[in-house]
Each structure stands twice: as C-alpha cells, then as structure tokens.
Amino acid sequence: MNFTYKFDNILDLREREKQDAAASYQKSIDRFSKVAEKLYHLLKQKENFEQEQRKKIESGLSVQAIQLNEYYLSKLNREIDHCQREVILARTNMQREEKKLLEKNIEVKKLEILKEKEFARFLETMNREDGKITDEISMQIVAREKTV
C-alpha cells in the first residue's frame, strides 16, 4: 500500500507560489540595492562637490562661477530628494514582498506538517495491519501444528 497525501496538489501549488514570492522578493531586494547605491553615489558626489567648491571659494572664484555651482548644487539636491523617495518606495515594496514570502513559507510549512502527521498515521496503520497479519499467520501455524 502506497502513501498518497490528499493535499499534494495544494502543497505543490503553495510551493510554486512560495518560489514566485521568493523571486519577487529577490527582485525587490535588487531594486532597493540599486536605488540605494544610486543615492549613496549622489550623496558622495554632493559631498565631493561641496568640498571642491569651498576650496575654490577660498582661492577666489567669480560670481558667475559661484552662481553656476549653486545651480548645479540645487539640481543635485533635487535629484537626491527624488532618489530618496525612490529608496523609500523600494524599501516599502521590499518589506511588502518579504511579508508575502513569510506568509507563503508559513502556508507551505503548515501543509508539510499536516503531511508528516498523516504519513505518521499511515505508518501506524500499516504497522497495526502488519501486526494483525503476523498474529493471524502465527495462529494458523499453531493451529496447523496442533492438527498434525
């Protein structure tokens, strides 16, 4: 007698959903990393630019050059603000995908535990049936020996 789990199809479906959720979570991690790295580079660029600008101002700089640098700095700040919003959105999405993945893991784990319990009951039933068959064979052997 073979063991068949009545929820195997559901377990397979949940496994696929879990794999899809894991792939989606990994995508969201990659997106977050990419955007966060972009933000880091922009912040680093701003820091370097400000240091360079301070040095140039100390050595003397024309008003037009200062205005141009301020325009560039304001543009960089807008880009940083935009990138920070992207980082927040990417982090939120990553956390949402992580939550979905955890839920799928829990669903799969529940079904696996149910399968293990059902398999244990199956083994117990098989052992009882084997015991009954062994007892029956033993009784037939004893009955045969008495008649001989």
Side-chain angles (χ1 to χ4, degrees), residues 76-137:
L76 196 56
N77 282 330
R78 284 192 304 272
E79 201 172 336
I80 288 170
D81 288 342
H82 175 73
C83 194
Q84 284 175 333
R85 286 190 294 274
E86 283 183 17
V87 166
I88 290 168
L89 289 173
R91 181 183 296 120
T92 303
N93 184 45
M94 182 179 69
Q95 290 169 340
R96 184 176 45 249
E97 294 298 330
E98 181 182 28
K99 186 177 178 184
K100 285 180 187 177
L101 179 58
L102 289 173
E103 289 171 358
K104 296 299 177 186
N105 279 333
I106 289 169
E107 287 178 23
V108 168
K109 194 66 177 171
K110 284 178 184 177
L111 288 169
E112 287 173 346
I113 289 171
L114 287 173
K115 184 176 183 176
E116 289 171 9
K117 286 180 180 179
E118 193 170 314
F119 184 68
R121 283 193 296 271
F122 171 77
L123 288 179
E124 189 178 304
T125 302
M126 291 301 294
N127 286 337
R128 264 190 267 120
E129 287 180 18
D130 286 347
K132 287 179 185 177
I133 291 171
T134 305
D135 288 347
E136 196 174 304
I137 291 172

Short mmCIF file of all heavy atoms in Angstrom, two decimals, residues 76-137:
data_model
loop_
_atom_site.label_atom_id
_atom_site.label_comp_id
_atom_site.label_asym_id
_atom_site.label_seq_id
_atom_site.Cartn_x
_atom_site.Cartn_y
_atom_site.Cartn_z
N LEU A 76 21.42 68.96 -8.07
CA LEU A 76 21.86 67.73 -7.40
C LEU A 76 20.98 67.44 -6.19
O LEU A 76 20.60 66.28 -5.95
CB LEU A 76 23.33 67.88 -6.98
CG LEU A 76 24.10 66.64 -6.59
CD1 LEU A 76 24.07 65.60 -7.71
CD2 LEU A 76 25.54 67.00 -6.26
N ASN A 77 20.60 68.48 -5.45
CA ASN A 77 19.71 68.29 -4.30
C ASN A 77 18.34 67.78 -4.72
O ASN A 77 17.75 66.92 -4.04
CB ASN A 77 19.57 69.58 -3.50
CG ASN A 77 20.76 69.85 -2.62
OD1 ASN A 77 21.42 68.93 -2.15
ND2 ASN A 77 21.06 71.13 -2.39
N ARG A 78 17.82 68.30 -5.83
CA ARG A 78 16.53 67.80 -6.33
C ARG A 78 16.64 66.33 -6.72
O ARG A 78 15.74 65.53 -6.46
CB ARG A 78 16.06 68.64 -7.52
CG ARG A 78 15.49 70.00 -7.13
CD ARG A 78 14.78 70.67 -8.30
NE ARG A 78 15.61 70.84 -9.48
CZ ARG A 78 16.39 71.87 -9.74
NH1 ARG A 78 16.47 72.86 -8.87
NH2 ARG A 78 17.09 71.93 -10.86
N GLU A 79 17.73 66.00 -7.36
CA GLU A 79 17.96 64.61 -7.76
C GLU A 79 18.08 63.70 -6.53
O GLU A 79 17.54 62.59 -6.51
CB GLU A 79 19.23 64.53 -8.62
CG GLU A 79 19.30 63.30 -9.47
CD GLU A 79 20.47 63.34 -10.45
OE1 GLU A 79 20.95 64.44 -10.81
OE2 GLU A 79 20.89 62.24 -10.86
N ILE A 80 18.75 64.20 -5.50
CA ILE A 80 18.88 63.44 -4.25
C ILE A 80 17.51 63.24 -3.60
O ILE A 80 17.18 62.14 -3.15
CB ILE A 80 19.87 64.12 -3.28
CG1 ILE A 80 21.30 63.95 -3.80
CG2 ILE A 80 19.74 63.56 -1.87
CD1 ILE A 80 22.34 64.77 -3.06
N ASP A 81 16.70 64.30 -3.56
CA ASP A 81 15.35 64.19 -2.99
C ASP A 81 14.52 63.16 -3.74
O ASP A 81 13.82 62.32 -3.12
CB ASP A 81 14.64 65.55 -3.02
CG ASP A 81 15.21 66.53 -2.01
OD1 ASP A 81 15.91 66.10 -1.07
OD2 ASP A 81 14.96 67.75 -2.19
N HIS A 82 14.60 63.22 -5.06
CA HIS A 82 13.87 62.25 -5.88
C HIS A 82 14.35 60.83 -5.59
O HIS A 82 13.55 59.90 -5.44
CB HIS A 82 14.04 62.59 -7.37
CG HIS A 82 13.42 61.60 -8.28
ND1 HIS A 82 12.06 61.50 -8.45
CD2 HIS A 82 13.97 60.64 -9.07
CE1 HIS A 82 11.79 60.52 -9.30
NE2 HIS A 82 12.94 59.99 -9.70
N CYS A 83 15.63 60.68 -5.51
CA CYS A 83 16.21 59.35 -5.26
C CYS A 83 15.84 58.84 -3.86
O CYS A 83 15.59 57.64 -3.68
CB CYS A 83 17.72 59.42 -5.43
SG CYS A 83 18.51 57.82 -5.55
N GLN A 84 15.77 59.74 -2.88
CA GLN A 84 15.36 59.34 -1.53
C GLN A 84 13.92 58.82 -1.54
O GLN A 84 13.62 57.83 -0.86
CB GLN A 84 15.50 60.51 -0.56
CG GLN A 84 16.93 60.78 -0.16
CD GLN A 84 17.08 62.02 0.71
OE1 GLN A 84 16.28 62.96 0.65
NE2 GLN A 84 18.13 62.02 1.53
N ARG A 85 13.05 59.46 -2.31
CA ARG A 85 11.67 58.97 -2.42
C ARG A 85 11.66 57.58 -3.07
O ARG A 85 10.91 56.70 -2.64
CB ARG A 85 10.82 59.95 -3.21
CG ARG A 85 10.46 61.21 -2.41
CD ARG A 85 9.42 62.05 -3.13
NE ARG A 85 9.89 62.63 -4.37
CZ ARG A 85 10.54 63.78 -4.47
NH1 ARG A 85 10.80 64.49 -3.40
NH2 ARG A 85 10.93 64.24 -5.66
N GLU A 86 12.51 57.40 -4.07
CA GLU A 86 12.60 56.08 -4.72
C GLU A 86 13.09 55.02 -3.74
O GLU A 86 12.60 53.89 -3.74
CB GLU A 86 13.55 56.14 -5.92
CG GLU A 86 12.97 56.78 -7.14
CD GLU A 86 13.94 56.74 -8.32
OE1 GLU A 86 14.91 55.95 -8.30
OE2 GLU A 86 13.72 57.50 -9.27
N VAL A 87 14.04 55.39 -2.89
CA VAL A 87 14.57 54.45 -1.89
C VAL A 87 13.46 54.06 -0.91
O VAL A 87 13.29 52.89 -0.57
CB VAL A 87 15.78 55.04 -1.14
CG1 VAL A 87 16.12 54.24 0.10
CG2 VAL A 87 16.99 55.11 -2.06
N ILE A 88 12.69 55.05 -0.48
CA ILE A 88 11.59 54.77 0.46
C ILE A 88 10.56 53.83 -0.19
O ILE A 88 10.13 52.86 0.44
CB ILE A 88 10.93 56.09 0.92
CG1 ILE A 88 11.89 56.85 1.82
CG2 ILE A 88 9.61 55.82 1.63
CD1 ILE A 88 11.47 58.28 2.12
N LEU A 89 10.21 54.12 -1.44
CA LEU A 89 9.26 53.24 -2.14
C LEU A 89 9.83 51.84 -2.32
O LEU A 89 9.12 50.84 -2.13
CB LEU A 89 8.90 53.85 -3.50
CG LEU A 89 8.02 55.09 -3.48
CD1 LEU A 89 7.89 55.66 -4.89
CD2 LEU A 89 6.66 54.77 -2.90
N ALA A 90 11.09 51.77 -2.70
CA ALA A 90 11.72 50.45 -2.90
C ALA A 90 11.79 49.68 -1.58
O ALA A 90 11.56 48.46 -1.56
CB ALA A 90 13.12 50.62 -3.49
N ARG A 91 12.10 50.36 -0.49
CA ARG A 91 12.15 49.70 0.82
C ARG A 91 10.77 49.19 1.22
O ARG A 91 10.62 48.06 1.68
CB ARG A 91 12.69 50.64 1.89
CG ARG A 91 12.77 49.97 3.27
CD ARG A 91 13.22 50.90 4.38
NE ARG A 91 14.57 51.37 4.16
CZ ARG A 91 14.90 52.65 4.02
NH1 ARG A 91 13.98 53.59 4.07
NH2 ARG A 91 16.16 52.99 3.82
N THR A 92 9.75 50.02 1.00
CA THR A 92 8.38 49.63 1.32
C THR A 92 7.97 48.41 0.51
O THR A 92 7.39 47.45 1.04
CB THR A 92 7.42 50.80 1.06
OG1 THR A 92 7.84 51.92 1.82
CG2 THR A 92 6.00 50.43 1.43
N ASN A 93 8.29 48.44 -0.77
CA ASN A 93 7.97 47.30 -1.64
C ASN A 93 8.73 46.05 -1.18
O ASN A 93 8.16 44.96 -1.14
CB ASN A 93 8.32 47.64 -3.09
CG ASN A 93 7.91 46.54 -4.03
OD1 ASN A 93 6.81 46.01 -3.95
ND2 ASN A 93 8.81 46.17 -4.93
N MET A 94 9.99 46.21 -0.84
CA MET A 94 10.79 45.08 -0.38
C MET A 94 10.19 44.48 0.90
O MET A 94 10.08 43.26 1.03
CB MET A 94 12.23 45.53 -0.13
CG MET A 94 13.16 44.42 0.31
SD MET A 94 14.85 45.01 0.57
CE MET A 94 14.65 46.03 2.02
N GLN A 95 9.77 45.32 1.82
CA GLN A 95 9.17 44.84 3.06
C GLN A 95 7.84 44.13 2.79
O GLN A 95 7.54 43.10 3.42
CB GLN A 95 8.97 46.00 4.04
CG GLN A 95 10.27 46.52 4.58
CD GLN A 95 10.13 47.84 5.34
OE1 GLN A 95 9.15 48.58 5.16
NE2 GLN A 95 11.11 48.14 6.16
N ARG A 96 7.07 44.65 1.84
CA ARG A 96 5.80 44.01 1.47
C ARG A 96 6.06 42.64 0.86
O ARG A 96 5.40 41.65 1.21
CB ARG A 96 5.03 44.91 0.50
CG ARG A 96 3.67 44.39 0.14
CD ARG A 96 2.85 45.34 -0.75
NE ARG A 96 3.59 45.91 -1.85
CZ ARG A 96 3.92 47.20 -1.96
NH1 ARG A 96 3.60 48.05 -1.02
NH2 ARG A 96 4.59 47.64 -3.01
N GLU A 97 7.05 42.56 -0.02
CA GLU A 97 7.39 41.27 -0.64
C GLU A 97 7.94 40.28 0.39
O GLU A 97 7.66 39.09 0.31
CB GLU A 97 8.41 41.47 -1.77
CG GLU A 97 7.88 42.25 -2.95
CD GLU A 97 6.72 41.57 -3.66
OE1 GLU A 97 6.64 40.33 -3.67
OE2 GLU A 97 5.87 42.29 -4.23
N GLU A 98 8.68 40.79 1.35
CA GLU A 98 9.20 39.92 2.42
C GLU A 98 8.03 39.34 3.24
O GLU A 98 8.03 38.15 3.58
CB GLU A 98 10.14 40.70 3.33
CG GLU A 98 10.73 39.86 4.45
CD GLU A 98 11.62 40.66 5.37
OE1 GLU A 98 11.41 41.88 5.51
OE2 GLU A 98 12.52 40.05 5.96
N LYS A 99 7.06 40.18 3.52
CA LYS A 99 5.89 39.73 4.29
C LYS A 99 5.14 38.64 3.51
O LYS A 99 4.73 37.63 4.08
CB LYS A 99 4.97 40.92 4.57
CG LYS A 99 3.81 40.57 5.47
CD LYS A 99 2.98 41.81 5.78
CE LYS A 99 1.79 41.43 6.63
NZ LYS A 99 0.91 42.58 6.88
N LYS A 100 4.96 38.86 2.19
CA LYS A 100 4.30 37.85 1.36
C LYS A 100 5.06 36.54 1.39
O LYS A 100 4.47 35.46 1.50
CB LYS A 100 4.18 38.33 -0.09
CG LYS A 100 3.14 39.36 -0.34
CD LYS A 100 3.13 39.74 -1.82
CE LYS A 100 2.22 40.88 -2.12
NZ LYS A 100 2.28 41.28 -3.55
N LEU A 101 6.38 36.64 1.29
CA LEU A 101 7.21 35.43 1.30
C LEU A 101 7.08 34.69 2.63
O LEU A 101 6.94 33.46 2.64
CB LEU A 101 8.67 35.78 1.03
CG LEU A 101 9.66 34.61 1.04
CD1 LEU A 101 9.28 33.55 0.02
CD2 LEU A 101 11.08 35.11 0.81
N LEU A 102 7.08 35.43 3.72
CA LEU A 102 6.92 34.80 5.03
C LEU A 102 5.56 34.09 5.14
O LEU A 102 5.47 32.98 5.68
CB LEU A 102 7.07 35.83 6.15
CG LEU A 102 8.48 36.36 6.38
CD1 LEU A 102 8.46 37.49 7.40
CD2 LEU A 102 9.41 35.26 6.81
N GLU A 103 4.52 34.73 4.62
CA GLU A 103 3.19 34.12 4.65
C GLU A 103 3.17 32.83 3.82
O GLU A 103 2.59 31.82 4.25
CB GLU A 103 2.14 35.10 4.12
CG GLU A 103 1.85 36.24 5.06
CD GLU A 103 0.98 37.32 4.44
OE1 GLU A 103 0.61 37.21 3.25
OE2 GLU A 103 0.67 38.30 5.15
N LYS A 104 3.80 32.86 2.66
CA LYS A 104 3.86 31.65 1.82
C LYS A 104 4.66 30.55 2.51
O LYS A 104 4.30 29.37 2.45
CB LYS A 104 4.47 31.97 0.44
CG LYS A 104 3.66 32.92 -0.38
CD LYS A 104 2.27 32.39 -0.67
CE LYS A 104 1.45 33.40 -1.45
NZ LYS A 104 0.07 32.98 -1.62
N ASN A 105 5.75 30.93 3.17
CA ASN A 105 6.55 29.94 3.91
C ASN A 105 5.72 29.28 5.00
O ASN A 105 5.79 28.06 5.20
CB ASN A 105 7.78 30.59 4.54
CG ASN A 105 8.92 30.77 3.57
OD1 ASN A 105 9.05 30.03 2.61
ND2 ASN A 105 9.75 31.78 3.82
N ILE A 106 4.92 30.09 5.69
CA ILE A 106 4.08 29.55 6.76
C ILE A 106 3.04 28.59 6.19
O ILE A 106 2.81 27.51 6.74
CB ILE A 106 3.41 30.71 7.54
CG1 ILE A 106 4.47 31.44 8.37
CG2 ILE A 106 2.29 30.19 8.44
CD1 ILE A 106 4.00 32.74 8.99
N GLU A 107 2.40 28.98 5.08
CA GLU A 107 1.40 28.11 4.45
C GLU A 107 2.02 26.76 4.05
O GLU A 107 1.44 25.70 4.31
CB GLU A 107 0.82 28.77 3.21
CG GLU A 107 -0.12 29.92 3.49
CD GLU A 107 -0.63 30.58 2.22
OE1 GLU A 107 -0.63 29.93 1.15
OE2 GLU A 107 -1.04 31.75 2.29
N VAL A 108 3.19 26.82 3.43
CA VAL A 108 3.85 25.59 3.00
C VAL A 108 4.23 24.74 4.21
O VAL A 108 4.03 23.53 4.22
CB VAL A 108 5.11 25.91 2.13
CG1 VAL A 108 5.96 24.68 1.92
CG2 VAL A 108 4.68 26.49 0.80
N LYS A 109 4.75 25.38 5.24
CA LYS A 109 5.16 24.65 6.45
C LYS A 109 3.96 23.95 7.09
O LYS A 109 4.07 22.80 7.53
CB LYS A 109 5.82 25.61 7.44
CG LYS A 109 6.56 24.93 8.54
CD LYS A 109 7.73 24.18 7.98
CE LYS A 109 8.52 23.54 9.09
NZ LYS A 109 9.53 22.63 8.59
N LYS A 110 2.82 24.64 7.14
CA LYS A 110 1.61 24.04 7.71
C LYS A 110 1.22 22.77 6.94
O LYS A 110 0.93 21.73 7.53
CB LYS A 110 0.44 25.02 7.68
CG LYS A 110 0.50 26.10 8.72
CD LYS A 110 -0.70 27.03 8.56
CE LYS A 110 -0.65 28.19 9.51
NZ LYS A 110 -1.77 29.14 9.29
N LEU A 111 1.23 22.88 5.60
CA LEU A 111 0.88 21.72 4.78
C LEU A 111 1.90 20.60 4.93
O LEU A 111 1.53 19.42 4.95
CB LEU A 111 0.74 22.13 3.31
CG LEU A 111 -0.50 22.95 2.99
CD1 LEU A 111 -0.41 23.53 1.59
CD2 LEU A 111 -1.76 22.11 3.14
N GLU A 112 3.17 20.94 5.07
CA GLU A 112 4.19 19.91 5.26
C GLU A 112 4.01 19.20 6.61
O GLU A 112 4.17 17.98 6.70
CB GLU A 112 5.60 20.53 5.17
CG GLU A 112 5.99 20.89 3.76
CD GLU A 112 7.31 21.64 3.67
OE1 GLU A 112 7.81 22.13 4.71
OE2 GLU A 112 7.84 21.74 2.55
N ILE A 113 3.67 19.97 7.64
CA ILE A 113 3.42 19.37 8.96
C ILE A 113 2.21 18.44 8.89
O ILE A 113 2.24 17.33 9.44
CB ILE A 113 3.23 20.47 10.02
CG1 ILE A 113 4.58 21.15 10.30
CG2 ILE A 113 2.66 19.90 11.32
CD1 ILE A 113 4.48 22.40 11.16
N LEU A 114 1.14 18.89 8.21
CA LEU A 114 -0.03 18.03 8.05
C LEU A 114 0.34 16.75 7.30
O LEU A 114 -0.12 15.65 7.66
CB LEU A 114 -1.13 18.76 7.28
CG LEU A 114 -1.88 19.86 8.04
CD1 LEU A 114 -2.82 20.60 7.11
CD2 LEU A 114 -2.65 19.26 9.21
N LYS A 115 1.18 16.87 6.28
CA LYS A 115 1.61 15.70 5.51
C LYS A 115 2.41 14.75 6.40
O LYS A 115 2.21 13.54 6.35
CB LYS A 115 2.45 16.14 4.31
CG LYS A 115 2.86 14.99 3.41
CD LYS A 115 3.60 15.49 2.19
CE LYS A 115 3.95 14.33 1.26
NZ LYS A 115 4.58 14.80 0.02
N GLU A 116 3.31 15.29 7.22
CA GLU A 116 4.09 14.45 8.13
C GLU A 116 3.19 13.72 9.12
O GLU A 116 3.39 12.53 9.38
CB GLU A 116 5.11 15.30 8.89
CG GLU A 116 6.25 15.80 8.03
CD GLU A 116 7.14 16.81 8.75
OE1 GLU A 116 6.98 17.01 9.98
OE2 GLU A 116 8.00 17.40 8.07
N LYS A 117 2.21 14.43 9.65
CA LYS A 117 1.29 13.80 10.61
C LYS A 117 0.48 12.70 9.94
O LYS A 117 0.29 11.62 10.51
CB LYS A 117 0.36 14.84 11.23
CG LYS A 117 1.04 15.74 12.24
CD LYS A 117 0.07 16.74 12.82
CE LYS A 117 0.75 17.63 13.83
NZ LYS A 117 -0.16 18.63 14.40
N GLU A 118 0.00 12.99 8.73
CA GLU A 118 -0.78 11.99 8.00
C GLU A 118 0.09 10.78 7.66
O GLU A 118 -0.36 9.64 7.74
CB GLU A 118 -1.37 12.60 6.73
CG GLU A 118 -2.43 11.72 6.11
CD GLU A 118 -3.19 12.42 5.00
OE1 GLU A 118 -3.60 13.58 5.18
OE2 GLU A 118 -3.37 11.79 3.94
N PHE A 119 1.34 11.02 7.30
CA PHE A 119 2.26 9.92 7.00
C PHE A 119 2.52 9.09 8.26
O PHE A 119 2.57 7.85 8.19
CB PHE A 119 3.58 10.45 6.43
CG PHE A 119 4.52 9.36 6.01
CD1 PHE A 119 4.22 8.54 4.92
CD2 PHE A 119 5.69 9.14 6.70
CE1 PHE A 119 5.08 7.53 4.54
CE2 PHE A 119 6.56 8.13 6.32
CZ PHE A 119 6.26 7.32 5.24
N ALA A 120 2.65 9.74 9.40
CA ALA A 120 2.85 9.01 10.66
C ALA A 120 1.63 8.14 10.97
O ALA A 120 1.78 6.98 11.39
CB ALA A 120 3.11 10.00 11.80
N ARG A 121 0.43 8.67 10.74
CA ARG A 121 -0.79 7.87 10.94
C ARG A 121 -0.82 6.69 9.97
O ARG A 121 -1.21 5.58 10.32
CB ARG A 121 -2.03 8.74 10.77
CG ARG A 121 -2.33 9.62 11.95
CD ARG A 121 -3.73 10.23 11.88
NE ARG A 121 -3.92 11.12 10.75
CZ ARG A 121 -3.68 12.42 10.74
NH1 ARG A 121 -3.23 13.00 11.82
NH2 ARG A 121 -3.87 13.14 9.66
N PHE A 122 -0.40 6.95 8.73
CA PHE A 122 -0.33 5.90 7.72
C PHE A 122 0.62 4.78 8.18
O PHE A 122 0.27 3.60 8.10
CB PHE A 122 0.13 6.49 6.39
CG PHE A 122 0.43 5.47 5.34
CD1 PHE A 122 -0.59 4.84 4.64
CD2 PHE A 122 1.75 5.12 5.04
CE1 PHE A 122 -0.31 3.88 3.66
CE2 PHE A 122 2.04 4.19 4.07
CZ PHE A 122 1.02 3.56 3.37
N LEU A 123 1.79 5.15 8.67
CA LEU A 123 2.75 4.15 9.14
C LEU A 123 2.20 3.37 10.33
O LEU A 123 2.37 2.15 10.42
CB LEU A 123 4.08 4.82 9.53
CG LEU A 123 4.93 5.33 8.39
CD1 LEU A 123 6.20 6.00 8.93
CD2 LEU A 123 5.31 4.22 7.42
N GLU A 124 1.52 4.08 11.21
CA GLU A 124 0.93 3.44 12.38
C GLU A 124 -0.13 2.42 11.94
O GLU A 124 -0.17 1.30 12.45
CB GLU A 124 0.30 4.51 13.27
CG GLU A 124 -0.15 4.01 14.61
CD GLU A 124 -0.71 5.15 15.45
OE1 GLU A 124 0.02 6.13 15.66
OE2 GLU A 124 -1.88 5.03 15.88
N THR A 125 -0.95 2.81 10.99
CA THR A 125 -1.98 1.91 10.46
C THR A 125 -1.33 0.70 9.80
O THR A 125 -1.76 -0.44 10.01
CB THR A 125 -2.87 2.64 9.44
OG1 THR A 125 -3.45 3.77 10.08
CG2 THR A 125 -3.97 1.75 8.92
N MET A 126 -0.29 0.94 9.02
CA MET A 126 0.42 -0.16 8.35
C MET A 126 1.03 -1.10 9.37
O MET A 126 0.97 -2.34 9.21
CB MET A 126 1.51 0.40 7.41
CG MET A 126 0.98 1.13 6.20
SD MET A 126 -0.07 0.14 5.13
CE MET A 126 1.09 -1.05 4.54
N ASN A 127 1.62 -0.54 10.42
CA ASN A 127 2.22 -1.38 11.46
C ASN A 127 1.15 -2.23 12.16
O ASN A 127 1.38 -3.40 12.46
CB ASN A 127 2.99 -0.53 12.47
CG ASN A 127 4.29 -0.01 11.92
OD1 ASN A 127 4.84 -0.58 10.98
ND2 ASN A 127 4.78 1.09 12.47
N ARG A 128 0.00 -1.62 12.44
CA ARG A 128 -1.09 -2.37 13.06
C ARG A 128 -1.56 -3.50 12.16
O ARG A 128 -1.77 -4.63 12.59
CB ARG A 128 -2.27 -1.45 13.39
CG ARG A 128 -2.24 -0.96 14.83
CD ARG A 128 -3.52 -0.25 15.23
NE ARG A 128 -3.33 1.18 14.99
CZ ARG A 128 -4.04 1.93 14.18
NH1 ARG A 128 -5.06 1.43 13.53
NH2 ARG A 128 -3.78 3.20 14.01
N GLU A 129 -1.72 -3.19 10.86
CA GLU A 129 -2.14 -4.22 9.91
C GLU A 129 -1.10 -5.32 9.79
O GLU A 129 -1.44 -6.51 9.73
CB GLU A 129 -2.43 -3.60 8.54
CG GLU A 129 -3.70 -2.78 8.50
CD GLU A 129 -3.96 -2.17 7.13
OE1 GLU A 129 -3.36 -2.63 6.13
OE2 GLU A 129 -4.75 -1.22 7.06
N ASP A 130 0.17 -4.94 9.77
CA ASP A 130 1.24 -5.95 9.73
C ASP A 130 1.20 -6.82 10.99
O ASP A 130 1.40 -8.05 10.91
CB ASP A 130 2.63 -5.27 9.64
CG ASP A 130 2.91 -4.72 8.25
OD1 ASP A 130 2.16 -5.06 7.31
OD2 ASP A 130 3.88 -3.94 8.12
N GLY A 131 0.94 -6.17 12.13
CA GLY A 131 0.83 -6.93 13.39
C GLY A 131 -0.33 -7.91 13.34
O GLY A 131 -0.21 -9.07 13.77
N LYS A 132 -1.47 -7.48 12.79
CA LYS A 132 -2.63 -8.36 12.67
C LYS A 132 -2.32 -9.53 11.75
O LYS A 132 -2.66 -10.68 12.05
CB LYS A 132 -3.84 -7.59 12.13
CG LYS A 132 -4.47 -6.65 13.11
CD LYS A 132 -5.64 -5.91 12.47
CE LYS A 132 -6.22 -4.87 13.39
NZ LYS A 132 -7.31 -4.12 12.74
N ILE A 133 -1.67 -9.24 10.62
CA ILE A 133 -1.33 -10.30 9.66
C ILE A 133 -0.35 -11.28 10.30
O ILE A 133 -0.50 -12.50 10.17
CB ILE A 133 -0.76 -9.70 8.36
CG1 ILE A 133 -1.87 -8.96 7.62
CG2 ILE A 133 -0.15 -10.77 7.47
CD1 ILE A 133 -1.37 -8.14 6.43
N THR A 134 0.63 -10.73 11.03
CA THR A 134 1.61 -11.59 11.70
C THR A 134 0.92 -12.46 12.74
O THR A 134 1.21 -13.67 12.85
CB THR A 134 2.72 -10.73 12.36
OG1 THR A 134 3.30 -9.89 11.38
CG2 THR A 134 3.77 -11.60 13.01
N ASP A 135 0.01 -11.89 13.52
CA ASP A 135 -0.74 -12.66 14.52
C ASP A 135 -1.56 -13.75 13.85
O ASP A 135 -1.62 -14.89 14.32
CB ASP A 135 -1.66 -11.74 15.32
CG ASP A 135 -0.90 -10.84 16.29
OD1 ASP A 135 0.31 -11.10 16.51
OD2 ASP A 135 -1.50 -9.87 16.80
N GLU A 136 -2.21 -13.41 12.72
CA GLU A 136 -3.04 -14.37 12.01
C GLU A 136 -2.19 -15.52 11.47
O GLU A 136 -2.57 -16.69 11.59
CB GLU A 136 -3.75 -13.66 10.85
CG GLU A 136 -4.91 -14.43 10.28
CD GLU A 136 -5.65 -13.61 9.26
OE1 GLU A 136 -6.10 -12.49 9.58
OE2 GLU A 136 -5.78 -14.11 8.11
N ILE A 137 -1.04 -15.18 10.92
CA ILE A 137 -0.13 -16.23 10.40
C ILE A 137 0.34 -17.11 11.54
O ILE A 137 0.38 -18.35 11.42
CB ILE A 137 1.06 -15.60 9.64
CG1 ILE A 137 0.57 -14.95 8.34
CG2 ILE A 137 2.14 -16.63 9.35
CD1 ILE A 137 1.62 -14.13 7.62
#
